[in-house]
Amino acid sequence: MLQTGVSSARSRDRDALAYNPNQRFTPVDFHCHGIGKFDFMKPHEIVLQKIQDDLEDSGSSAIVTLYVAREELDHFEAFCARFADGRRRGRFSRILGIATEGPLFSSSGGTPKRARWRPSRAEWRRIANLGRDGLVYSVLSPDAALADDGETDPARSLGWIVECLMDGGVMPALGHFSKDDPDHSAAKVREILSCVGRLGRGPIVTDHLFNDMPLNFRHAWRTPAEFERRATELADADLDGWSRDNLETKLGLVPAAIIHGAFDGLVKICMNFDGAHVDLAVCARTVEVVGSEHLMLMTDRIQSAVLGGQQLRPIHSNSLLYQEDGIVAGGTTSVWQEVGNLVSMGLSTRQITDIACMTAQGVLGVEARATAPVLQA
């Protein structure tokens, strides 16, 4: 059932934990598409103080991730300017930054089509310049089609785009891959990470691991018919057999390239722990193999259940929200519910604090909390 009440969700989520408010634990939602009643494709309608108040009430922090259509770029720039002005005045402490999903995609997934476009060189520079106003990252597809025959515009060069963004203080976030050519997609991941290493500006970040990328295994079961196959397909995935030495064959070339980049210190990985985007058994094994120090929690939630003017719909068998065409648009699970899932997975306090808080704080340069929480199932 879709949950929209912040207070009731917070009460239920914290009941799942031995939560001590005297211990300074503020989970970070590194990627979400809706807090409060707002449509995150309409930056001119978003009231930042309302988002701040909701995050304060829920005891969490977040990066707010908007979809930006080309015709909304002016409004998005004004939105970032309002955020920057508020931060200078000591406001919006719970909003740790702004992000965009798109515009450069090879696979739109649940992203509205209007938010998928190919910026010009001038438009990329406008986006990059927003790093000074709190734009933390921009999700892009490393394997998006860029070059045309005879094309010489730097905006058609992946290396130029990455360097332009990072010059402005904006991280390219890897996500939304084509599933047609895993070799090519993985090579493009390595190309971006090589550029990051050469520039000495890492780590960068990803969109959600396993979603919207080519895989060698089934990572989620969302309908009753799919649940009937879960045990068999989990066995086929051979989670116990995963290791650093066989990521390419067990997981797939693209997730392997991302994870090896994490081991090299070039990228930190977002992952959704709601159990619907990625099955929790898969999540648990990923933490064991990848390491909690490389992982960050994200919810992908759309609290208003509205996106680009479209009313999204839930289904009874999972916590996701769907567009009219049946494509997943986002989730409904709160950050505290995901922390509860981390506990239920049997992770240690250190692993939980890494995933829910410390890894993200390190990426953002936020001072780490001095006291870790005590969490029990």
Side-chain angles (χ1 to χ4, degrees):
M1 180 179 294
L2 179 62
Q3 298 291 335
T4 57
V6 173
S7 295
S8 61
R10 178 182 61 175
S11 176
R12 183 186 61 255
D13 301 339
R14 290 182 176 177
D15 283 346
L17 308 175
Y19 177 80
N20 184 344
N22 294 320
Q23 294 178 302
R24 297 177 293 171
F25 178 60
T26 304
V28 176
D29 187 350
F30 209 81
H31 184 101
C32 66
H33 293 299
I35 298 172
K37 64 181 181 180
F38 304 108
D39 184 334
F40 270 33
M41 273 205 76
K42 299 180 179 180
H44 57 289
E45 296 181 0
I46 296 174
V47 180
L48 286 161
Q49 188 59 51
K50 292 286 189 181
I51 293 177
Q52 166 70 20
D53 292 344
D54 277 359
L55 290 170
E56 183 75 38
D57 185 59
S58 67
S60 63
S61 298
I63 293 177
V64 295
T65 308
L66 277 66
Y67 306 98
V68 181
R70 175 175 252 145
E71 64 270 21
E72 291 282 348
L73 187 53
D74 287 346
H75 288 308
F76 183 64
E77 288 174 318
F79 172 78
C80 291
R82 292 198 304 274
F83 173 70
D85 180 67
R87 289 301 295 264
R88 284 192 292 270
R89 296 170 184 268
R91 301 166 61 194
F92 313 144
S93 60
R94 295 283 182 162
I95 305 172
L96 300 183
I98 299 166
T100 71
E101 185 165 304
L104 183 63
F105 277 170
S106 58
S107 169
S108 58
T111 303
K113 289 182 173 58
R114 288 195 301 116
R116 180 184 177 187
W117 47 285
R118 196 164 74 171
S120 67
R121 179 167 45 179
E123 287 166 331
W124 276 123
R125 284 176 172 153
R126 287 175 68 182
I127 294 169
N129 285 339
L130 294 175
R132 67 191 175 194
D133 287 341
L135 183 62
V136 174
Y137 66 82
S138 179
V139 179
L140 57 81
S141 300
D143 54 2
L146 286 169
D148 300 319
D149 290 342
E151 181 64 73
T152 58
D153 185 348
R156 302 296 183 258
S157 161
L158 184 62
W160 183 89
I161 293 168
V162 169
E163 191 159 353
C164 175
L165 289 173
M166 298 195 78
D167 280 347
V170 179
M171 291 183 286
L174 314 180
H176 290 265
F177 296 86
S178 167
K179 297 180 182 178
D180 297 333
D181 189 346
D183 289 278
H184 172 72
S185 298
K188 288 299 181 179
V189 170
R190 291 191 291 270
E191 180 181 335
I192 287 182
L193 295 180
S194 176
C195 180
V196 171
R198 185 181 73 253
L199 295 171
R201 296 177 182 170
I204 60 171
V205 297
T206 73
D207 199 357
H208 37 34
L209 185 66
F210 300 142
N211 297 111
D212 234 359
M213 65 179 62
L215 301 173
N216 288 354
F217 70 102
R218 183 68 179 264
H219 71 294
W221 296 266
R222 297 168 179 166
T223 67
E226 291 174 353
F227 280 122
E228 289 182 3
R229 304 192 300 269
R230 179 179 179 272
T232 299
E233 291 174 342
L234 264 179
D236 291 342
D238 185 27
L239 301 185
D240 289 340
W242 290 11
S243 74
R244 291 192 179 201
D245 298 326
N246 61 18
L247 297 175
E248 287 80 6
T249 57
K250 294 291 187 182
L251 280 66
L253 295 176
V254 171
I258 291 171
I259 293 167
H260 283 302
F263 294 154
D264 292 337
L266 298 173
V267 63
K268 297 295 183 182
I269 300 170
C270 278
M271 192 166 180
N272 198 304
F273 291 88
D274 63 1
H277 279 88
V278 182
D279 190 89
L280 292 182
V282 175
C283 290
R285 184 57 180 153
T286 302
V287 174
E288 292 175 350
V289 174
V290 176
S292 60
E293 69 274 17
H294 299 305
L295 295 168
M296 299 180 293
L297 178 153
M298 59 171 282
T299 67
D300 225 3
R301 70 169 172 161
I302 305 173
Q303 197 172 15
S304 67
V306 176
L307 180 59
Q310 178 185 166
Q311 183 68 47
L312 305 174
R313 62 181 182 87
I315 63 175
H316 73 277
S317 59
N318 65 55
S319 61
L320 302 177
L321 291 169
Y322 290 79
Q323 300 178 66
E324 292 175 354
D325 54 10
I327 294 176
V328 174
T332 62
T333 306
S334 75
V335 66
W336 279 107
Q337 284 174 288
E338 292 207 13
V339 172
N341 287 342
L342 297 176
V343 176
S344 72
M345 288 159 51
L347 300 186
S348 69
T349 298
R350 179 73 270 160
Q351 289 172 317
I352 294 168
T353 53
D354 280 348
I355 294 167
C357 186
M358 303 297 280
T359 306
Q361 288 181 340
V363 169
L364 297 171
V366 177
E367 183 177 353
R369 302 295 189 182
T371 305
V374 176
L375 302 173
Q376 297 174 349

